[in-house]
Amino acid sequence: MLSLVVLISGGGSNLRSLLEAAEDAQYPARVVAIGADRDADGFAHAEAFGIPTFTVPFTSYPNREAWGDALLAQIQGWQPDLVVLSGFMRLLPARVVRALAPNLINTHPAFLPEFPGAHGVRDALAAGVPQTGASVIVVDDGVDSGPIVAQRRVPVRPGDSEHTLHDRIKLVERQLLVQAVLDIANGTVNLEELATT
Ligand code: GAR
């Protein structure tokens, strides 16, 4: 059974899809703790599923490194097999990435390497592309630049707003994330190998 720590910053709908998947006894992963860099709305899902939480507020630390060290200590306290960044909107310091890699994955609302960064949906709309996508990647020390675990295309529809497009992407993202964690747990995807290719 793969143990997961999931980090969020917002509503946590991707997190919820993992919590729902893990209700099935056959699903080979369990969320052991949920962390955030702020008082995230998604903690409501933690409460609903009885999962412990921790908050490491960015603004409570003198710099990114000190914040990262505190976050890492919290994560490591749970001894997870895999850490999932699921709408976690802060860049991790390099030493945190190094400590957790390659067992550190991130979901992103674009077909990477297209539209990396904090505004993947907005940037795809602004570019006027007919399709964008969703990706799950291994985190490396760049911005959304790590090896692809899974990704799928999502069409952009005429009249889409950032909100409608993001909602359509998230439907796909949730499926990708649940499948990616399943594939990692059963060995179909090997993160060590992905990270070295
Ligand atoms: C997701 O679309 C995720 O890919 C995105 O934030 C959303 C979180 O939704 N993350 C990024 O853009 C990271 N660069 P959720 O809180 O409802 O799961």
Side-chain angles (χ1 to χ4, degrees):
M1 188 64 73
L2 202 71
S3 64
L4 313 176
V5 165
V6 181
L7 300 185
I8 61 171
S9 296
S13 64
N14 284 296
L15 157 70
R16 189 172 180 102
S17 68
L18 276 178
L19 293 170
E20 287 173 355
E23 283 193 310
D24 180 345
Q26 304 297 315
Y27 191 75
R30 293 289 177 268
V31 179
V32 295
I34 297 163
D37 60 324
R38 63 193 78 174
D39 188 18
D41 289 347
F43 278 153
H45 305 305
E47 201 179 333
F49 284 78
I51 310 290
T53 62
F54 58 87
T55 310
V56 185
F58 189 75
T59 47
S60 302
Y61 295 85
N63 53 52
R64 178 175 298 277
E65 277 61 40
W67 167 76
D69 290 348
L71 181 67
L72 182 61
Q74 286 282 343
I75 294 168
Q76 288 180 328
W78 291 98
Q79 299 187 298
D81 299 312
L82 180 69
V83 177
V84 181
L85 306 185
S86 183
F88 190 67
M89 299 307 283
R90 289 202 185 271
L91 285 180
L92 294 175
R95 65 173 177 244
V96 176
V97 174
R98 271 198 301 272
L100 299 174
N103 299 306
L104 176 63
I105 63 172
N106 182 35
T107 64
H108 186 75
F111 199 86
L112 291 169
E114 300 168 8
F115 309 115
H119 305 291
V121 181
R122 191 184 306 171
D123 293 346
L125 265 185
V129 292
Q131 55 178 0
T132 178
S135 305
V136 177
I137 62 169
V138 183
V139 178
D140 67 6
D141 51 13
V143 177
D144 298 326
S145 54
I148 308 285
V149 177
Q151 61 185 170
R152 201 184 307 159
R153 284 290 185 188
V154 175
V156 179
R157 304 267 189 231
D160 259 342
S161 64
E162 189 175 341
H163 185 74
T164 59
L165 179 56
H166 202 169
D167 276 354
R168 190 175 315 114
I169 291 170
K170 280 191 187 183
L171 291 176
V172 172
E173 222 181 330
R174 291 174 199 138
Q175 295 169 6
L176 279 184
L177 180 59
V178 168
Q179 185 65 44
V181 169
L182 176 64
D183 290 344
I184 292 164
N186 68 22
T188 309
V189 166
N190 184 318
L191 295 179
E192 299 273 353
E193 275 174 18
L194 263 185
T196 53
T197 49

